[in-house]
Amino acid sequence: MKQQILVYILISFAFFSCLSPQNNEIEEEKKIGPITIVIHGGAGTILKKNMTLEKEQAYREKLAEALNLGYEVLENGGTSIEAVASSIRILEDSPLFNAGKGAVFTNQGKNELDASIMDGKTSKAGAVAGVTTVKNPIMAALAVMENSPHVMMSGGGAELFAVEQGIEIADSGYFFTKRRYNSLRRIQKKEEEQSAYLTENPDYKYGTVGAVALDSDGNIAAGTSTGGMTNKRYGRIGDSPIIGAGTFAENASCAISATGHGEFFIRNVVAYDIAALMKYKQLSLEDAAQEVINKKLVEQKGSGGIIGLDQAGNITMTFNTAGMYRGYIQQKDNAVIKIFGE
Amino acid sequence: MKQQILVYILISFAFFSCLSPQNNEIEEEKKIGPITIVIHGGAGTILKKNMTLEKEQAYREKLAEALNLGYEVLENGGTSIEAVASSIRILEDSPLFNAGKGAVFTNQGKNELDASIMDGKTSKAGAVAGVTTVKNPIMAALAVMENSPHVMMSGGGAELFAVEQGIEIADSGYFFTKRRYNSLRRIQKKEEEQSAYLTENPDYKYGTVGAVALDSDGNIAAGTSTGGMTNKRYGRIGDSPIIGAGTFAENASCAISATGHGEFFIRNVVAYDIAALMKYKQLSLEDAAQEVINKKLVEQKGSGGIIGLDQAGNITMTFNTAGMYRGYIQQKDNAVIKIFGE
């Protein structure tokens, strides 16, 4: 009997010795992190000395609300796409950020909104550019992804699609906020004095919002929404609705949402460049983000930042500006929220 | 004296032996190819059996005209950007291609044109999307790049900018061609029968045009121009005006112009993905193009092709469709023009 047990143990040992290296490899390939939501509310010259305690508190509370809702969606078995859209919607509905309700004004006193979303599992994506009547552009982007053969729609055509899809249309006057209107008047006054086309100072706080998430099935997703640049002209489109520039997600690499001086993010294909550095150069998410945001962009004086997440649950919140509204939840009841460069 | 000469020779030999490996390295880094222009006029189901000799001759002549003008610009010391714009302009002015004059009709019977251009030396870029009145969208994209702080403009705003820049505006009716209008009516009839939103069959010939060039200073550039999809709705934007998807150029990697089913090219960030494979995985231009067009896209059933060029003068014209209108000049008076999969 003792001998039999010994033989059994020896055979088992031999058997598992053979198996285990292979198993480990498979384990490593499939290492999936816990459900996670990461959000940003824009990068820029966000300094403690310029912020009242009340204002800081208001930002922290709204970021917490967006994080909590996104995490709740994930806890209830929702997809990363659903979590991303839910969190962004909260930020779009707040006047604090330059997206949805709080969108800045164009040169013609209009609010032209852009948004995009991408599913890391399927590589499907949707985007809208230059919509003026859609209350939550991220919901229109989601509808483009899910219910159309296209990736990107713009202007009146995108608005028509949103109406057909039953997306909520904003009342006239919904996007009016005194703060943003005063910003427009201030810049236009300066413009008159200087006789030049001026947009919001590229180093000023932008307030674009975005989210990335990892769901309980191990799928990642990313989304971004913005009101663009104060006093912008000519139907300018920034990086936010551009897949590869402002938003990108694929399970094999990472999910990224960007905020910053959009022209630099388009020319440098920022979101996809981080993914490519991970796939083709085996850089970690953090190293890839540092390479693009704090080396390439800094050399070109392109200001801004990104949030990123991979399937293993690694998080990055990288920016080359003074601050970025940002936060994440990876452990229940443990929201991490930051604003300044700390 | 003989001894002195011998010593001199020996010292020289030792000296140059030491230097030469370093020199070779520097030489290799700076290897610049001869001036080159490469163009395409769209990829798709282009089969010899469906083409009359007269039609084939017309395409070949127009491609030759565009190539010759681009090469002439380069021969006269023009920049790669100037050559790209000049070649594309010829193709835009022809009714044969789905760009400029020959643009297809949207669902509403309009012609909405997209174009983009990028300079590999400076990484500056310009793009217009959904313009309906600009005769040569590539010239508007060039003006955005050179004379605005933006990369991308759309719709009426982009048209206003074009007017301010003195870009030629088309007469009403300029974009009407019977052939394209009949295509719209044919698809709309089928659409009524099937009660579904149909665009041009993704496997049908698209006719987007593009060019990449290498100039005598060793700088590369890329540009793309299109009329989009027949019967498209909702202000759909394809890959042509998207930097990273339809167009990309940087001296350190390559210049790419794409044509095909735009949604796949956007989701896969096709143009930049080829550049990233060269930079981060040290793939050759040809191998990188094959990887993206004939592996990644084929797996997803994303049809289309690209033309590409690097600083060393390597050329690729890669497509996963039956044919692609394409050609290049790298040696004076030696234009290579192809249409079918040969």
Side-chain angles (χ1 to χ4, degrees), chain A residues 150 164 197 234 272-273 280, chain B residues 123 150 164 197 234 272-273:
Chain A
H150 300 317
E164 286 180 15
Y197 170 28
Y234 308 124
Y272 185 68
D273 198 28
Y280 304 146
Chain B
S123 282
H150 300 319
E164 286 181 14
Y197 170 28
Y234 307 125
Y272 185 68
D273 198 27

Side-chain angles (χ1 to χ4, degrees), chain A residues 5 24 39 60 91 99 113 128 131 133 163 196 199 209 216 252 266 273 333 339:
Chain A
I5 289 174
N24 278 350
I39 63 172
R60 286 187 182 274
L91 301 175
L113 313 169
V128 292
V131 295
T133 61
V163 169
T199 55
V209 307
S216 55
I266 295 177
D273 198 28
D333 300 326
I339 297 180

Side-chain angles (χ1 to χ4, degrees), chain B residues 115-127:
Chain B
S116 65
I117 195 162
M118 188 165 186
D119 183 343
K121 181 189 175 190
T122 59
S123 282
K124 285 180 76 179

Side-chain angles (χ1 to χ4, degrees), chain A residues 123 149-154 157-158 161 164 197 234-237 242 263 267 269 272-273 277 280-281 296, chain B residues 123 149-154 157-158 161 164 197 234-237 242 263 267 272-273 277 280-281 296:
Chain A
S123 281
H150 300 317
V151 167
M152 192 170 185
M153 297 182 182
S154 64
F161 179 76
E164 286 180 15
Y197 170 28
Y234 308 124
R236 176 254 188 190
I237 296 177
I242 308 281
E263 279 71 15
R267 288 194 285 254
V269 200
Y272 185 68
D273 198 28
L277 283 166
Y280 304 146
K281 262 190 128 175
K296 281 194 195 182
Chain B
S123 282
H150 300 319
V151 167
M152 192 171 186
M153 297 182 183
S154 65
F161 179 76
E164 286 181 14
Y197 170 28
Y234 307 125
R236 175 254 190 189
I237 295 178
I242 309 281
E263 278 71 13
R267 287 194 285 255
Y272 185 68
D273 198 27
L277 283 165
Y280 303 148
K281 261 190 132 176
K296 282 193 193 182

Side-chain angles (χ1 to χ4, degrees), chain A residues 111-122:
Chain A
N111 308 91
E112 287 179 2
L113 313 169
D114 304 331
S116 65
I117 194 161
M118 187 163 187
D119 184 343
K121 181 189 176 190
T122 60

Side-chain angles (χ1 to χ4, degrees), chain B residues 91-342:
Chain B
L91 301 174
E92 282 180 341
D93 287 345
S94 162
L96 292 173
F97 305 95
N98 176 19
K101 170 72 184 156
V104 300
F105 286 91
T106 68
N107 176 265
Q108 301 193 302
K110 291 202 298 179
N111 309 90
E112 287 179 2
L113 314 168
D114 304 331
S116 65
I117 195 162
M118 188 165 186
D119 183 343
K121 181 189 175 190
T122 59
S123 282
K124 285 180 76 179
V128 292
V131 294
T132 58
T133 60
V134 178
K135 187 168 175 247
N136 290 102
I138 196 68
M139 300 312 289
L142 183 60
V144 170
M145 180 180 103
E146 291 187 335
N147 304 327
S148 94
H150 300 319
V151 167
M152 192 171 186
M153 297 182 183
S154 65
E159 290 166 0
L160 173 65
F161 179 76
V163 168
E164 286 181 14
Q165 291 289 312
I167 305 284
E168 192 174 353
I169 299 303
D171 293 339
S172 116
Y174 170 75
F175 295 111
F176 182 87
T177 56
K178 203 158 182 227
R179 172 188 172 205
R180 302 299 192 188
Y181 192 69
N182 288 342
S183 295
L184 174 65
R185 289 184 57 183
R186 198 167 53 238
I187 289 178
Q188 290 190 326
K189 207 179 150 208
K190 209 189 285 179
E191 198 175 55
E192 259 174 49
E193 288 163 13
Q194 300 185 16
S195 303
Y197 170 28
L198 299 178
T199 54
E200 199 166 20
N201 180 342
D203 193 35
Y204 188 70
K205 173 174 55 63
Y206 284 102
T208 293
V209 306
V212 294
L214 169 61
D215 64 29
S216 54
D217 288 331
N219 296 312
I220 56 178
T224 309
S225 180
T226 191
M229 283 175 156
T230 301
N231 198 38
K232 75 165 182 178
R233 281 192 170 92
Y234 307 125
R236 175 254 190 189
I237 295 178
D239 63 316
S240 300
I242 309 281
I243 297 302
T247 301
F248 187 74
E250 70 179 343
N251 279 355
S253 54
C254 59
I256 302 285
S257 170
T259 165
H261 195 162
E263 278 71 13
F264 288 88
F265 282 68
I266 294 176
R267 287 194 285 255
N268 289 280
V269 200
V270 163
Y272 185 68
D273 198 27
I274 294 170
L277 283 165
M278 291 178 70
K279 285 191 291 184
Y280 303 148
K281 261 190 132 176
Q282 277 71 52
L283 261 56
S284 69
L285 173 64
E286 182 61 31
D287 288 349
Q290 289 295 339
E291 173 73 24
V292 177
I293 303 301
N294 279 319
K295 276 183 71 178
K296 282 193 193 182
L297 284 183
V298 164
E299 279 164 19
Q300 300 171 34
K301 297 193 172 60
S303 63
I306 58 105
I307 52 169
L309 180 64
D310 65 17
Q311 270 195 314
N314 295 304
I315 296 168
T316 187
M317 304 190 292
T318 305
F319 51 99
N320 60 31
T321 48
M324 179 165 83
Y325 299 107
R326 63 200 186 277
Y328 65 88
I329 302 181
Q330 194 160 49
Q331 285 180 301
K332 195 174 164 61
D333 300 325
N334 196 359
V336 176
I337 295 173
K338 295 181 179 184
I339 297 179
F340 312 107
E342 40 199 289

